[in-house]
């Protein structure tokens, strides 16, 4: 019987883990230890529910409710001088509890502080777009949709951005294999040549490390090349590669030690 | 394999456009020489004026974030080279710094100085490349040749250091792999001594050049609000009136020990960005002179360490590995299984030549990052074209794309 492999997370796994290994934590500190962050947090807490807040690696992390995001970011931009949304995206926790974690990385240039606003959404739930507040969210939310399939409500143009518009599947989900799925393997063949050419062309080889020793087209038989389409028998004569043509290639002279100058001055 | 006729239609690959009466749709790219990579701009035109711009990206998408989730931390380092391939050490550095903050190690001083040298050399390389290609797009062939000549010297220095000219992978998590070569400082001094002259040459050719001014002045004006809202950083933001440089405001490495200015302008047009780039080259040279002194002081003080000492995460020095059994065992585990950083997350921003390069890493204690988000500045500098281009004319598109200094390795990642 084949060993069961979980399908919810098909990313690379550590092939060995000490049974008694307890992973250490990146230290977190109280928000009160930083006066600026404490004031910002108090301002947010006055209007919105804050689930958790702490400081990690010099940045404050604030967990809020999903429906408060627009209000919180508006407050931060207009009242707390966090005028830039550096980055936003999602983290896939579907394998654990069927949720996504969304984070917004905010920057205040006058306070020189960075805050990360986070919240959880259920699988299939949409987020509120903050594109009206920060234009940069226009592209970030599109990227998040492209990579995770999380839609943003009230977004002006909710289309894929990096992948083709007619792509199926969301590449950054943990369920999506690194080498792509069935759809990915046939995408270009179908698109360029049509489905009827599938048999003649075959699926795209998406494993970059794959070497087929019977493939005479793709340099797999280096030194034993045969003309295209020839039947491979296994006893082909060795056909050594000449890297320098007879008479020399244009502009590159044949290397001889006698005729070359060796520069040994490091301070040239 | 039999030849199969493909069914791609010419010009507009299987895409139909809805358009209004008088609008012409121009498909600018993805193979346009002035698009600096694979940028496809769909421009809606009325006569020569753009009424709507729609940048289409993703032609160079390699899924680096996905790759990162399937690689150990050290394995990912060469992949970061392929983001902003014009200044690849700055990507290496951004990633290394983020992981170092995550595992909480402090890099030895000598390694810090070498890193700063590499970073500033990369900044110069990037800015020279920017100047060369932008000038070429606008028609100034001479500047292109001059700037590439200077960039070549820098690439030679880097090649002497790490063996590669474009994709350096010259920085490791926890330090640098090598000390600089003997000729490094000499070559760098020779270059730096000549740089002011060279920059003056470029400026003589461009600063008061009638054509250059017509293409640059009052073209592509980005107001401060728009720059902030679109997440612009680096020279794009500084040319729009916000003097924000992460090296100055949130100093990393030894940037708080060196003296340099942050050039900025409140004009926000192409010409302002050009001036910011030129002045930044001068400031980089200033920093490099100071790092040379710092390096020589390190040598004098006998500081030879190049890698941080953190046996759990970073391999011991070569000598220890070759002589001590336990170091060898740890090295073996680190190479085959990879380091396992603590559980937690970190977002670290560094000032790359293009702007704020950020790495968000979420670690769950495994040898692979659970989530890694690359915040590449060029991504938003491309996005801003949506709002920036309408109202401009077709020739302006070329100069605006030029001054945004976008590199598609990092837009698409």
């Amino acid at each position: 019987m084949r060993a069961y492999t979980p399908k919810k997370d098909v990313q690379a796994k550590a092939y060995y883990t000490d049974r008694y290994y307890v992973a250490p934590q990146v230290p977190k500190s109280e928000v009160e230890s930083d006066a600026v962050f404490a004031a910002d947090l108090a301002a947010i807490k006055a209007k919105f529910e804050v689930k958790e807040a702490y400081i990690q690696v010099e940045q404050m992390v604030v967990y809020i409710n999903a429906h408060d995001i627009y209000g919180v970011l508006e407050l931060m931009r207009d009242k707390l001088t966090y005028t830039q949304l550096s980055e936003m995206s999602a983290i896939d926790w579907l394998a654990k509890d069927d949720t996504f974690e969304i984070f917004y990385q905010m920057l205040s240039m006058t306070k020189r502080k960075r805050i990360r606003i986070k919240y959880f959404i259920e699988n299939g739930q949409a987020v509120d777009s903050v594109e009206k507040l920060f234009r940069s969210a226009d592209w970030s939310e599109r990227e998040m949709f492209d990579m995770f399939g999380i839609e943003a409500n009230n977004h002006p143009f909710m289309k894929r951005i990096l992948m083709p518009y007619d792509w199926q599947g969301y590449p950054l989900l943990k369920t999506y294999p690194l080498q792509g799925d069935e759809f990915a393997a046939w995408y270009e063949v179908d698109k360029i040549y049509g489905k009827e050419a599938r048999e003649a062309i075959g699926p795209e080889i998406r494993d970059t490390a794959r070497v087929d020793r019977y493939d005479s087209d793709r340099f797999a038989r280096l030194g034993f090349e045969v003309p295209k389409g020839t039947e491979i028998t296994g006893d082909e004569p060795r056909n050594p590669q000449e890297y320098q043509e007879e008479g020399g290639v244009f502009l590159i002279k044949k290397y001889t030690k006698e005729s070359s100058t060796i520069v040994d001055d490091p301070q040239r | 394999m039999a030849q199969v006729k493909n069914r791609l239609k010419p010009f507009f690959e299987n895409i139909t456009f809805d358009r209004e009466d008088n609008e012409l749709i121009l498909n600018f790219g993805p193979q346009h020489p002035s698009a600096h990579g694979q940028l496809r701009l769909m421009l809606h035109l009325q006569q020569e004026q753009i009424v709507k711009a729609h940048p289409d990206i993703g032609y160079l998408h390699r899924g680096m974030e996905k790759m990162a989730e399937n690689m150990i931390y050290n394995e990912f380092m060469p992949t970061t080279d392929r983001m902003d391939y014009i200044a690849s050490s700055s990507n290496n550095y951004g990633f290394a710094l983020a992981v170092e903050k995550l595992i909480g190690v402090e890099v030895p001083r000598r390694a810090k100085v070498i890193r700063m040298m590499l970073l500033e050399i990369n900044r110069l390389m990037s800015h020279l490349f920017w100047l060369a290609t932008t000038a070429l797009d606008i028609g100034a062939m001479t500047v292109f040749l001059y700037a590439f000549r200077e960039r070549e010297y820098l690439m030679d220095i880097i090649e002497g250091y790490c063996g590669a000219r474009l994709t350096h992978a010259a920085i490791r998590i926890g330090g640098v792999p090598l000390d600089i070569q003997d000729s490094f400082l000499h070559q760098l001094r020779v270059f730096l001594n000549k740089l002011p002259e060279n920059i003056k040459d470029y400026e003589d050719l461009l600063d008061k050049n009638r054509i250059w001014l017509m293409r640059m002045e009052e073209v592509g004006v980005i107001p401060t609000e728009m720059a902030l809202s679109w997440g612009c950083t680096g020279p794009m933001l500084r040319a729009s009136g916000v003097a924000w440089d992460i090296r100055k405001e949130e100093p990393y490495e030894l940037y708080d020990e060196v003296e340099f200015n942050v050039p900025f302008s409140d004009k926000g047009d192409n010409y302002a960005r050009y001036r910011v780039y030129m002045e930044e080259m001068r400031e980089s040279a200033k920093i490099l002179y100071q790092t040379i002194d710092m390096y020589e002081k390190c040598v004098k003080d006998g500081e030879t360490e190049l890698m941080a000492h953190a046996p759990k995460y970073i391999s011991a020095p070569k000598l220890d590995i070759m002589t001590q059994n336990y170091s060898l065992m740890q090295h073996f585990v680190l190479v085959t299984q990879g380091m396992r950083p603590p559980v937690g997350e970190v977002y670290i921003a560094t000032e790359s030549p293009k702007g704020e390069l950020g790495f968000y890493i979420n670690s769950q204690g495994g040898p692979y990052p659970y989530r890694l988000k690359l915040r590449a500045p060029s991504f938003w500098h491309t996005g801003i074209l949506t709002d920036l281009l309408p109202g401009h004319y077709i020739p302006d598109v070329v100069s605006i794309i030029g001054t945004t200094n976008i590199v598609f390795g990092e837009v698409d990642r």
Side-chain angles (χ1 to χ4, degrees):
Chain A
M1 205 168 75
R2 255 183 313 168
Y4 172 75
T5 47
K7 306 287 183 295
K8 283 192 164 175
D9 184 354
V10 294
Q11 306 310 304
K13 295 281 183 313
Y15 63 85
Y16 172 75
T17 305
D18 185 352
R19 285 167 66 188
Y20 303 107
Y21 177 74
V22 179
Q25 300 278 330
V26 178
K28 295 173 184 173
S29 54
E30 294 291 318
V31 177
E32 283 68 41
S33 61
D34 187 305
V36 180
F37 280 147
D40 290 342
L41 184 65
I44 297 172
K45 264 187 177 164
K47 280 196 173 170
F48 304 98
E49 187 195 343
V50 172
K51 288 181 169 167
E52 198 189 347
Y54 55 86
I55 297 177
Q56 198 172 35
V57 200
E58 297 151 33
Q59 292 174 15
M60 181 159 76
V61 182
V62 182
Y63 282 89
I64 57 164
N65 286 318
H67 54 81
D68 287 338
I69 184 64
Y70 190 91
V72 170
L73 291 202
E74 192 174 29
L75 173 81
M76 287 179 71
R77 185 190 70 170
D78 297 340
K79 298 276 154 50
L80 307 178
T81 73
Y82 286 82
T83 46
Q84 215 171 35
L85 173 67
S86 303
E87 175 66 283
M88 65 146 301
S89 195
I91 305 169
D92 172 356
W93 294 111
L94 296 183
K96 202 176 92 188
D97 51 8
D98 213 32
T99 54
F100 288 107
E101 187 176 357
I102 320 284
F103 66 89
Y104 296 74
Q105 186 69 41
M106 308 294 299
L107 165 68
S108 163
M109 291 179 177
T110 45
K111 294 176 182 166
R112 297 178 190 173
K113 291 283 180 194
R114 291 174 193 272
I115 293 184
R116 192 156 48 245
I117 302 288
K118 302 180 102 181
Y119 59 83
F120 288 95
I121 57 164
E122 297 287 315
N123 187 12
Q125 197 186 329
V127 300
D128 287 339
S129 171
V130 292
E131 185 268 336
K132 295 277 180 300
L133 297 171
F134 299 98
R135 282 290 281 137
S136 62
D138 182 345
W139 276 32
S140 309
E141 279 163 0
R142 275 179 71 190
E143 195 190 338
M144 186 168 78
F145 168 67
D146 194 355
M147 294 293 142
F148 293 94
I150 302 168
E151 289 185 37
N153 293 331
N154 304 323
H155 188 283
F157 192 72
M158 196 80 267
K159 287 265 180 84
R160 285 183 182 271
I161 187 164
L162 291 170
M163 305 302 287
Y165 284 172
D166 53 353
W167 192 262
Q168 288 173 22
Y170 299 101
L172 270 182
L173 293 180
K174 297 279 176 190
T175 48
Y176 196 89
L178 177 65
Q179 251 110 44
D181 54 8
E182 182 80 11
F183 174 82
W186 290 110
Y187 177 76
E188 289 201 344
V189 176
D190 290 358
K191 185 96 176 169
I192 299 174
Y193 301 102
K195 273 203 166 74
E196 63 274 17
R198 273 191 177 195
E199 212 161 293
I201 293 167
E204 186 188 333
I205 296 166
R206 296 177 67 89
D207 181 356
T208 45
R210 200 184 97 119
V211 176
D212 179 1
R213 60 186 290 262
Y214 293 111
D215 177 4
S216 56
D217 301 343
R218 293 193 179 85
F219 307 101
R221 298 181 55 76
L222 205 63
F224 295 92
E225 287 92 347
V226 287
K228 193 171 176 169
T230 315
E231 190 79 16
I232 306 281
T233 55
D235 53 351
E236 285 78 22
R238 181 156 169 75
N239 180 22
Q241 290 282 315
E242 284 293 341
Y243 289 101
Q244 186 84 69
E245 285 148 37
E246 204 49 55
V249 182
F250 182 60
L251 280 182
I252 302 167
K253 283 187 181 156
K254 211 162 200 165
Y255 172 76
T256 49
K257 208 170 182 186
E258 293 74 41
S259 65
S260 57
T261 328
I262 293 164
V263 183
D264 55 356
D265 177 19
Q267 317 255 302
R268 68 202 157 89
Chain B
M1 191 183 82
Q3 287 286 316
V4 187
K5 220 175 160 219
N6 81 51
R7 45 174 63 191
L8 291 180
K9 289 179 195 138
F11 307 122
F12 296 103
E13 293 173 9
N14 302 340
I15 289 180
T16 50
F17 295 91
D18 300 322
R19 63 190 181 94
E20 294 186 4
D21 274 350
N22 273 334
E23 281 182 14
L24 170 82
I25 291 165
L26 182 73
N27 204 23
F28 187 99
Q31 308 288 356
H32 194 283
S34 79
H36 291 209
Q38 309 294 66
L39 168 65
R40 177 170 176 221
L41 264 177
M42 279 179 268
L43 301 172
H44 295 231
L45 302 172
Q46 265 177 356
Q47 312 297 339
E48 285 246 322
Q49 198 174 29
I50 295 154
V51 289
K52 195 174 160 220
H54 177 77
D56 185 14
I57 59 168
Y59 290 88
L60 203 57
H61 180 231
R62 292 146 292 177
M64 280 192 186
E65 289 162 18
K66 186 76 172 176
M67 286 159 77
E69 287 176 13
N70 290 278
M71 280 182 182
I72 63 174
Y73 288 81
N74 280 319
E75 230 177 333
F76 187 59
M77 185 59 83
T79 314
T80 58
D81 282 337
R82 276 80 179 164
M83 286 175 67
D84 175 6
Y85 42 76
I86 304 302
S88 44
S89 295
S90 50
N91 310 324
N92 298 158
Y93 177 72
F95 178 61
L97 186 69
V99 180
E100 281 154 16
K101 292 270 180 188
L102 190 66
I103 60 183
V105 299
E106 182 69 16
V107 176
R109 189 177 167 86
R110 184 153 168 167
K112 281 186 177 175
V113 176
I114 296 175
R115 282 172 166 207
M116 269 173 71
M117 284 178 173
L118 292 175
L119 288 180
E120 291 310 313
I121 288 178
N122 270 278
R123 192 177 312 277
L124 277 174
M125 272 167 65
S126 168
H127 283 11
L128 285 168
F129 185 91
W130 168 82
L131 180 69
T133 50
T134 307
L136 184 69
D137 288 345
I138 292 178
M141 186 85 177
T142 322
V143 179
F144 168 75
L145 294 171
Y146 282 0
F148 259 57
R149 181 188 62 190
E150 265 71 74
R151 182 167 168 265
E152 202 67 17
Y153 288 132
L154 290 171
M155 302 231 296
D156 280 353
I157 298 177
I158 289 269
E159 190 183 4
Y161 176 68
C162 65
R165 291 160 62 80
L166 206 62
T167 49
H168 309 143
I171 290 168
R172 297 284 178 278
I173 297 164
V176 286
L178 296 163
D179 200 0
I180 54 176
Q181 75 268 26
D182 295 341
S183 59
F184 190 98
L185 291 186
H186 174 75
Q187 283 175 316
L188 192 57
R189 269 206 201 93
V190 171
F191 173 80
L192 289 179
N193 290 341
K194 229 177 148 268
L195 187 66
E197 240 175 85
N198 292 326
I199 296 178
K200 194 165 173 303
D201 278 352
Y202 313 145
E203 287 180 344
D204 286 349
L205 283 166
L206 296 176
D207 260 8
K208 302 259 165 56
N209 185 322
R210 211 146 40 100
I211 304 169
W212 185 258
L213 288 174
M214 279 163 73
R215 299 292 297 276
M216 296 300 234
E217 270 187 328
E218 308 289 320
V219 173
V221 181
I222 306 178
T224 313
E225 269 69 54
M226 187 173 163
L228 286 172
S229 170
W230 261 107
C232 285
T233 44
M236 288 278 279
L237 185 61
R238 288 196 283 277
S240 295
V242 184
W244 172 264
D245 187 323
I246 299 172
R247 291 175 295 170
K248 200 82 169 175
E249 311 292 338
E250 301 173 327
Y252 47 91
E253 292 304 314
L254 304 170
Y255 278 110
D256 45 353
E257 290 182 24
V258 292
E259 266 184 40
F260 66 102
N261 301 321
V262 178
F264 72 102
S265 160
D266 52 6
K267 281 276 197 306
D269 60 353
N270 279 347
Y271 194 76
R273 288 193 279 280
Y274 155 70
R275 287 306 314 160
V276 167
Y277 281 113
M278 298 307 271
E279 291 305 325
E280 269 189 24
M281 282 202 259
R282 293 208 167 89
E283 298 304 322
S284 279
K286 216 192 268 179
I287 296 174
L288 275 171
Y289 272 122
Q290 294 173 56
T291 53
I292 291 176
D293 295 341
M294 286 157 96
Y295 181 79
E296 281 170 342
K297 193 163 174 299
C298 281
V299 176
K300 216 167 72 190
D301 296 349
E303 289 176 42
T304 51
E305 289 278 288
L306 290 176
M307 289 289 277
H309 181 71
K312 258 170 81 183
Y313 305 116
I314 294 159
S315 290
K318 195 82 178 173
L319 186 69
D320 287 2
I321 294 174
M322 299 306 242
T323 53
Q324 293 175 24
N325 197 11
Y326 197 70
S327 293
L328 179 66
M329 283 159 61
Q330 276 179 326
H331 176 67
F332 182 77
V333 170
L334 284 175
V335 168
T336 54
Q337 296 179 21
M339 69 166 85
R340 289 164 202 252
V343 180
E345 53 179 18
V346 67
Y347 174 83
I348 296 296
T350 56
E351 183 78 21
S352 91
K354 312 277 184 300
E356 175 182 324
L357 178 70
F359 283 81
Y360 169 82
I361 302 178
N362 186 317
S363 157
Q364 291 301 312
Y368 308 99
Y370 189 79
R371 173 92 170 92
L372 187 141
K373 182 82 181 78
L374 307 165
R375 191 250 185 237
S378 295
F379 185 73
W380 284 278
H381 296 171
T382 313
I384 199 171
L385 294 177
T386 323
D387 291 355
L388 186 57
L389 289 182
H392 286 91
Y393 294 85
I394 292 186
D396 298 337
V397 176
V398 175
S399 61
I400 290 173
I401 293 176
T403 51
T404 52
N405 196 7
I406 47 183
V407 166
F408 274 78
E410 76 176 4
V411 175
D412 296 339
R413 299 170 307 247

